[in-house]
Amino acid sequence: MNDLVITVLVLFGGSCLGFLFFGGLWLTSKKMLHSKNPVLWYLGSFFVRLSVTLLGFYYMGQNNWKYMVCCLLGFITARFIVIRLTKTKVMKPIN
């Protein structure tokens, strides 16, 4: 396959991993607020998100530093998008 096509696919895969990781973190944070056992939610979610992300980076990196960098770029881009999408508005107090 063409190197450009693989690079774009790796960038897209990195962004998917980022959406999974940071979206899962956001969902876990929401769920922990109303849970009786928030530590289990946090630790369980952390290990699942971390293992999926590391396996994804390992698979997409293919022992090539260019693919690793592209995957990381997609991952970081997804982080900023998830932060922007999940931002809540803070109300100012009325004096």
Side-chain angles (χ1 to χ4, degrees):
M1 217 186 298
N2 191 2
D3 193 43
L4 180 64
V5 174
I6 294 174
T7 304
V8 170
L9 287 174
V10 168
L11 184 70
F12 178 72
S15 63
C16 288
L17 287 174
F19 282 120
L20 180 73
F21 187 87
F22 295 109
L25 177 61
W26 179 73
L27 288 173
T28 301
S29 299
K30 290 290 212 181
K31 185 72 175 174
M32 281 174 40
L33 294 175
H34 306 291
S35 176
K36 292 181 180 179
N37 217 347
V39 174
L40 286 178
W41 274 102
Y42 178 74
L43 289 177
S45 170
F46 174 72
F47 286 119
V48 168
R49 288 182 292 117
L50 185 68
S51 61
V52 168
T53 302
L54 287 176
L55 285 172
F57 268 88
Y58 179 75
Y59 179 72
M60 283 187 275
Q62 299 177 359
N63 290 330
N64 190 341
W65 68 271
K66 293 176 190 176
Y67 295 155
M68 284 287 201
V69 170
C70 286
C71 191
L72 183 63
L73 249 132
F75 188 81
I76 292 171
T77 303
R79 175 184 179 263
F80 288 112
I81 294 171
V82 169
I83 287 173
R84 183 150 211 170
L85 290 176
T86 58
K87 189 179 287 187
T88 58
K89 294 183 180 183
V90 178
M91 299 180 71
K92 294 181 181 179
I94 300 173
N95 292 331

